[in-house]
Amino acid sequence: MIGLIAGGDKAIRNPVENAEDQREQGWNDLQTYQITSGDTLVGIAASGTTPYVIGAIEKARQQGILTAAITGNPGSPLALAVEIPIEVVVGPEYVTGSSRMKSGTAQKMILNMISTSVMIKLGRVKGNRMVNMQLTNSKLVDRGTRMVAQELGISYEAANRLLLEQGSARKAIEKYRSR
């Protein structure tokens, strides 16, 4: 999964004025990733009217790329432009002009559902465990060790050695069972 934002990574912390109004820039930004008809493009815009997103979606459809959208505005131009519209009706925001409260929260929840479903479908989840997580800190190594120990019925120490040797809980479990 690759996330893009109008204005690039800088826009995550600092406003990049008018970036979302650049209809061609969304597609231009996607070119770095060489997306093809084997990919899916999900456009996200609370209003469903953001030119950066709509332009990328329209160009992707012309290229035979599956398109979806997550928006808080049913029947919006973005929802009408995609094959799979996900329209979240959250009602008016508590603070007019701010879409990050109800709409943004709803969109994040939908993205969590999509990413979780994809990880399950790719086999990176076993039962309710993320067995392909990156072992990037001690908390995740501990979590992976406990997963391996519980799944295989072995000691914490043995599970830890196996996990670190194999690099993921999934690989550790597969290696142990293939012996």
Side-chain angles (χ1 to χ4, degrees):
M1 293 187 192
I2 299 164
L4 298 178
I5 184 171
D9 288 345
K10 176 184 176 190
I12 293 172
R13 289 186 174 69
N14 299 296
V16 178
E17 301 302 329
N18 301 315
E20 66 182 28
D21 294 332
Q22 306 303 313
R23 192 173 189 87
E24 302 300 319
Q25 193 59 47
W27 181 253
N28 291 342
D29 289 350
L30 285 167
Q31 296 314 292
T32 301
Y33 304 98
Q34 295 134 13
I35 65 172
T36 68
S37 60
D39 296 308
T40 300
L41 180 61
V42 180
I44 304 167
S47 68
T49 62
T50 307
Y52 177 90
V53 178
I54 295 170
I57 289 291
E58 289 174 347
K59 188 69 173 174
R61 284 202 67 183
Q62 291 170 8
Q63 303 297 317
I65 297 166
L66 178 65
T67 60
I70 304 171
T71 181
N73 190 7
S76 68
L78 178 59
L80 297 173
V82 299
E83 294 150 287
I84 305 169
I86 302 170
E87 301 165 306
V88 187
V89 180
V90 296
E93 292 288 352
Y94 295 114
V95 177
T96 301
S98 174
S99 62
R100 59 187 174 189
M101 298 169 81
K102 291 174 14 179
S103 186
T105 300
Q107 288 174 323
K108 288 175 203 168
M109 291 174 66
I110 291 167
L111 287 169
N112 284 340
M113 290 183 245
I114 291 170
S115 64
T116 299
S117 298
V118 168
M119 292 302 117
I120 290 169
K121 196 80 167 153
L122 290 173
R124 296 182 180 178
V125 176
K126 180 173 176 37
N128 69 339
R129 297 182 178 126
M130 292 176 49
V131 294
N132 264 50
M133 66 184 164
Q134 301 281 324
L135 304 174
T136 56
N137 61 47
S138 58
K139 176 184 78 173
L140 295 176
V141 171
D142 176 61
R143 185 178 297 155
T145 299
R146 288 184 284 114
M147 281 183 200
V148 171
Q150 185 176 12
E151 179 70 22
L152 299 176
I154 61 178
S155 73
Y156 182 93
E157 293 74 20
N160 185 258
R161 280 192 302 277
L162 187 58
L163 176 70
L164 294 175
E165 180 183 289
Q166 296 302 312
S168 77
R170 181 184 56 79
K171 289 178 183 175
I173 292 165
E174 289 173 356
K175 178 71 171 183
Y176 185 87
R177 290 193 169 144
S178 70
R179 294 179 180 173

